[in-house]
Amino acid sequence: MPVDYSVFYRVVPVHPEAHLYNITCEINHPAANGQEISLPAWIPGSYMIRDFAKNVVSLSARDAQGHAVATRKLDKHTWRCAPCTGALTVQYSVYAWDLSVRGAHLDTTHAYFNGAGMFIRIHGQEGAAHGVALTVPEGEKYLPWRVSTSMTRDAVDAHGVGGYRAMDYEDLIDHPVEMGTFQTAEFEACGVPHEIAVTGRQQADLARVARDIARVCEWQIRFFGEPAPMRRYVFLVTAIGEGYGGLEHRASTSLLCSREDLPRAGDKEVSERYRNFLGLCSHEYFHAWLVKRIKPAVFMSYDLTREVHTPLLWVFEGFTTYYDDLVLARCGLIDERAYLEILAQTITRVWQSAGRHQQSVAESSFDAWTKFYKADENAPNAIVSYYVKGAIVALALDFTLRLATDNAQSLDTLMRALWNEFGIPGKGVQDDDIRWLAERLCGQDLGDFFARYVEGCEDPPLAQLLAQFGIECIAQASSAKPGAIRREDPNNARPAVGLGAKLGGGDEARVLQVYAGGAAQQAGLAAGDTIVALDGLRVARAEFDRRLGQFPIGTHVKIHAFRRDELMEFSVPVQALPEDVCQLGMLENIDAAQRQRRALWIRGKHAS
């Protein structure tokens, strides 16, 4: 093994057709009483126990002379190797068929992995420098494969194949790796080189993507203050038929998107799908500061063996969700109307979650491990997303700070204070630090705000707050589309009706979720029921809403449905759809103060 490292790994995608990696870990100075090794139970940024060790197919060890060393499993993710003389080599294979941003995937087209699911932790040597050799599969067809990762290069060839290094184990598992024949684009943002590597069949205009993402990156770097906290940054993008997701890292991000989200040559406008992709890039890049460097105190040294609870995910994900699309407006990629449309969609998602009356964003943060990441059919009635509700609380806090200080302070100044006072010095954020910092900035007691909207389940007074910034906010029935305000002629409008349930999108009208207080719940329908008839006539999913809408509000209609293999009859009250869709619009008849607040907010400026 290289003498510069106490721990050195060799990663070989040995059987792409069988989705198997072979990994060799060489430990120069194993523990004298026997070396313990383990794999993480979860990956930072995704708060659910994933038990990566379940993907280990085989594991063995040998000493420096090549003799077998006995290994014994201690628990679901920990092994102990017997004492040996000299260096210890552990060899193991990992099954990789998780096409997500969290795990590992391998086939004959590409290889991808996160270190948390691949690199065993050598107990007692986590703080040592770690070396890695990355190798492409054997065979002529794999000769064109390249490697893309933000890990520090040691000695690599023109394709990026070869040696890499990490400062310690935490650094080692914070750089996902992509191998294959991906397409790339490069750009600089505030002097920092950035790379976009896109895997999958697509026809994207990567030059345009690079130009647009560069604007996002430059704005964010300048927002927190130069220099950027990373020396190089990599966007690893996997484009498939349908998909969406991202996972943040200190110097890179893994993104999953639909190939239709990416613009093609000749496209001029920022389509809604491309806008969503840019928002995803913005979200994960913002995390390079917020959660990767500005961290909850309990994340300062990750315990990857168990759940690590914090009530602050509404800040680290909610604030990031608030800024991700706002950044697109501030750097000029979308106009104000498009931004308000996105904001209306976010507010609508909150309004349509009855669970927001049952769970606060602080509770949602704390219970992410068991509720948000393990949502069931009752989730809409029982939980709230700390992403979207956190974003709405962020908006309310931003406006509260601006109003209290005549635009001198805002969530922007709070973010920069977090960076300067917690991120740069590497100090963990305690549970009360956000409130303390906000109160220091505005000079007011914000106990009532945090009690009602963070620890409590109340909705922030968005309509009143937005009005002071020259924005009209109205609630429409669920049949309306969130976005710009659209006024209907009340003489022609007919009240829309609904079942109060989410139905499957296939041919069958299968009940997926039943909403609290709705018609379906009152009648006794349950998740899993398959509706086969409405008012005595067979009904398919495609025609259910239209047929139900023919009945007057207040009447009862018979619905027949199968529960398991039993046919059941329900008398369902016909109800009007709730007014839970947000529409936003620019107010014209506003005073100078409202106009100034709106301009300073959306443009990201402050009063001089």
Side-chain angles (χ1 to χ4, degrees), residues 100-101 103 110-115 146-151 174-180 182-185 194-200 213 232-239 245-249 251-257 262 277 280-281 284:
S100 77
V101 297
H110 87 128
Y112 167 85
F113 67 83
N114 275 288
R146 296 182 290 157
V147 173
S148 181
T149 180
S150 58
M151 196 181 304
D174 201 28
H175 301 277
V177 173
E178 177 70 32
M179 303 182 192
F182 46 81
Q183 292 181 279
T184 60
H194 289 63
E195 177 183 300
I196 305 170
V198 184
T199 295
I213 295 179
R232 178 171 171 266
Y233 194 91
V234 178
F235 292 87
L236 297 177
V237 182
T238 300
L247 188 65
E248 67 275 5
H249 300 275
S252 64
T253 181
S254 292
L255 306 173
L256 187 68
C257 72
L262 303 173
F277 174 76
L280 178 63
C281 294
E284 303 305 336

Side-chain angles (χ1 to χ4, degrees), residues 243-414:
Y244 181 87
L247 188 65
E248 67 275 5
H249 300 275
R250 286 173 66 90
S252 64
T253 181
S254 292
L255 306 173
L256 187 68
C257 72
S258 166
R259 61 179 62 92
E260 300 302 324
D261 294 342
L262 303 173
R264 299 189 179 194
D267 291 349
K268 301 299 182 184
E269 303 298 321
V270 177
S271 68
E272 184 173 353
R273 297 195 69 149
Y274 183 42
R275 188 177 71 191
N276 290 340
F277 174 76
L278 291 173
L280 178 63
C281 294
S282 177
H283 183 102
E284 303 305 336
Y285 198 73
F286 201 83
H287 274 317
W289 290 266
L290 190 63
V291 92
K292 295 309 297 184
R293 291 173 173 86
I294 307 168
K295 297 183 180 182
V298 294
F299 286 179
M300 292 305 293
S301 180
Y302 291 111
D303 182 350
L304 298 175
T305 67
R306 61 176 181 85
E307 297 94 337
V308 180
H309 299 278
T310 173
L312 292 177
L313 293 182
W314 68 274
V315 173
F316 291 91
E317 291 294 354
F319 283 19
T320 305
T321 300
Y322 173 59
Y323 275 105
D324 56 20
D325 293 313
L326 185 56
V327 168
L328 302 186
R330 288 183 174 179
C331 70
L333 286 171
I334 61 175
D335 61 20
E336 294 177 352
R337 178 184 175 90
Y339 172 65
L340 290 183
E341 180 179 303
I342 297 170
L343 181 59
Q345 293 169 355
T346 301
I347 296 171
T348 298
R349 290 175 62 188
V350 176
W351 285 356
Q352 292 184 343
S353 170
R356 75 188 193 280
H357 300 306
Q358 305 296 326
Q359 185 188 53
S360 70
V361 287
E363 292 170 332
S364 175
S365 301
F366 195 88
D367 290 334
W369 302 86
T370 54
K371 291 190 175 182
F372 183 78
Y373 272 91
K374 294 183 178 180
D376 59 19
E377 65 281 350
N378 193 47
N381 304 321
I383 69 173
V384 67
S385 167
Y386 51 79
Y387 284 85
V388 291
K389 179 68 180 293
I392 297 312
V393 174
L395 171 69
L397 182 58
D398 191 4
F399 283 9
T400 298
L401 293 173
R402 290 175 183 273
L403 290 168
T405 63
D406 195 23
N407 286 304
Q409 304 294 340
S410 66
L411 199 64
D412 296 352
T413 52
L414 188 150

Side-chain angles (χ1 to χ4, degrees), residues 351-493:
W351 285 356
Q352 292 184 343
S353 170
R356 75 188 193 280
H357 300 306
Q358 305 296 326
Q359 185 188 53
S360 70
V361 287
E363 292 170 332
S364 175
S365 301
F366 195 88
D367 290 334
W369 302 86
T370 54
K371 291 190 175 182
F372 183 78
Y373 272 91
K374 294 183 178 180
D376 59 19
E377 65 281 350
N378 193 47
N381 304 321
I383 69 173
V384 67
S385 167
Y386 51 79
Y387 284 85
V388 291
K389 179 68 180 293
I392 297 312
V393 174
L395 171 69
L397 182 58
D398 191 4
F399 283 9
T400 298
L401 293 173
R402 290 175 183 273
L403 290 168
T405 63
D406 195 23
N407 286 304
Q409 304 294 340
S410 66
L411 199 64
D412 296 352
T413 52
L414 188 150
M415 295 305 304
R416 285 189 277 268
L418 277 173
W419 175 238
N420 291 322
E421 299 179 31
F422 294 87
I424 293 175
K427 177 184 175 183
V429 179
Q430 301 291 341
D431 294 353
D432 293 330
D433 282 340
I434 302 301
R435 174 184 168 183
W436 165 78
L437 191 53
E439 289 179 339
R440 192 189 76 187
L441 291 175
C442 73
Q444 295 183 6
D445 185 336
L446 296 176
D448 184 62
F449 181 99
F450 280 79
R452 295 169 68 181
Y453 311 130
V454 176
E455 302 293 338
C457 298
E458 292 187 45
D459 290 334
L462 294 181
Q464 298 92 309
L465 287 170
L466 285 162
Q468 296 187 71
F469 287 74
I471 308 294
E472 184 179 11
C473 174
I474 65 173
Q476 299 275 39
S478 291
S479 57
K481 182 180 180 180
I485 290 177
R486 300 172 178 84
R487 305 191 188 280
E488 296 182 359
D489 183 350
N491 296 319
N492 297 328

